[in-house]
Amino acid sequence: GNSVTQMEGPVTLSEEAFLTINCTYTATGYPSLFWYVQYPGEGLQLLLKATKADDKGSNKGFEATYRKETTSFHLEKGSVQVSDSAVYFCALSESAGGTSYGKLTFGQGTILTVHP
Amino acid sequence: KAGVTQTPRYLIKTRGQQVTLSCSPISGHRSVSWYQQTPGQGLQFLFEYFSETQRNKGNFPGRFSGRQFSNSRSEMNVSTLELGDSALYLCASSLDLSGTLKSYEQYFGPGTRLTVT
């Protein structure tokens, strides 16, 4: 079955530091890949997505590139802010003709804390 | 446009009872998915409904069930509650239009926090 593995957390950074959160996946088909963010007491918000190999998703300074050869979708940001403190989830959904778009498989989540 | 709403936001139940959670999707969205979030197991897919039919199902016991109404609103029910059912239950909706990849993006509600004592 499908699975997503994220780097162990939590991650603690100083403001303006560089962020990388690793994500690798295993999928039987050709999945779409997502990063979601969850702020305390809230649901998940879609941060960015990529639907095919070499696609780069980007939003709010965050970027991730769909690497089919390494089955990875690492999240990066060049300069983090205190307001980026949250839990980040990597996820995949099946695509390409399947009927499983409504089923997301999530990684375990990475807690990010940014200090001033 | 209003987002996904879930009611109630917080719920406390006793072991053995049953509970019903409600989800109203974004207007026009046709697919509703449910997830369970716990510290130990993380986010796990429960089921997905589309056009009042269950289209996908996760690996949860039969005590967990759901349904979708003609207006796309959805409910999930958990019978014979166990302590381990304590979790944040998240609902997500998507437009789900064939041929439009963007329409498959899922938008999440704030969740219902269920505590079983």
Side-chain angles (χ1 to χ4, degrees):
Chain A
N2 299 334
S3 67
V4 176
T5 302
Q6 287 181 234
M7 66 183 287
E8 295 281 335
V11 174
T12 302
L13 296 173
S14 297
E15 207 165 25
E16 299 183 3
F18 184 85
L19 168 71
T20 299
I21 302 177
N22 290 338
C23 170
T24 57
Y25 68 89
T26 302
T28 53
Y30 200 147
S32 293
L33 302 174
F34 307 86
W35 277 99
Y36 281 86
V37 59
Q38 186 176 34
Y39 298 100
E42 299 183 11
L44 276 68
Q45 298 176 25
L46 178 62
L47 183 59
L48 54 83
K49 70 179 189 297
T51 56
K52 61 183 187 297
D54 299 325
D55 261 2
K56 177 185 281 189
S58 61
N59 186 26
K60 300 180 181 180
F62 291 90
E63 292 182 340
T65 301
Y66 190 145
R67 299 289 188 202
K68 194 169 189 296
E69 66 276 12
T70 55
T71 62
S72 65
F73 193 55
H74 305 320
L75 182 68
E76 296 182 335
K77 187 176 186 184
S79 177
V80 294
Q81 305 300 313
V82 172
S83 57
D84 294 327
S85 298
V87 184
Y88 292 80
F89 293 92
C90 184
L92 68 80
S93 72
E94 296 177 29
S95 61
T99 58
S100 301
Y101 287 103
K103 176 182 177 180
L104 288 170
T105 300
F106 287 91
Q108 64 269 41
T110 300
I111 300 172
L112 170 66
T113 303
V114 181
H115 293 297
Chain B
K1 186 182 276 192
V4 177
T5 58
Q6 292 186 244
T7 56
R9 291 292 311 277
Y10 301 91
L11 205 49
I12 299 175
K13 290 286 188 179
T14 304
R15 266 183 305 175
Q17 288 185 314
Q18 74 165 16
V19 67
T20 299
L21 312 182
S22 180
C23 171
S24 293
I26 292 172
S27 177
H29 281 198
R30 308 189 304 167
S31 167
V32 173
S33 298
W34 288 89
Y35 297 85
Q36 181 195 64
Q37 185 177 23
T38 60
Q41 298 299 316
L43 277 156
Q44 293 185 287
F45 172 77
L46 280 156
F47 28 64
E48 181 212 1
Y49 286 87
F50 177 81
S51 292
E52 302 178 61
T53 301
Q54 189 180 85
R55 188 162 66 174
N56 283 293
K57 188 178 188 306
N59 295 323
F60 279 82
R63 300 185 298 107
F64 292 82
S65 62
R67 60 178 176 169
Q68 186 180 34
F69 302 95
S70 58
N71 61 359
S72 293
R73 191 177 70 85
S74 177
E75 290 181 345
M76 67 163 282
N77 183 278
V78 187
S79 62
T80 319
L81 283 166
E82 301 177 359
L83 294 179
D85 297 334
S86 294
L88 181 67
Y89 289 89
L90 293 164
C91 162
S93 73
S94 65
L95 188 58
D96 201 331
L97 284 176
S98 179
T100 307
L101 283 177
K102 182 173 172 56
S103 76
Y104 294 110
E105 291 177 9
Q106 293 192 34
Y107 295 83
F108 282 79
T112 294
R113 173 76 61 187
L114 172 65
T115 301
V116 182
T117 62

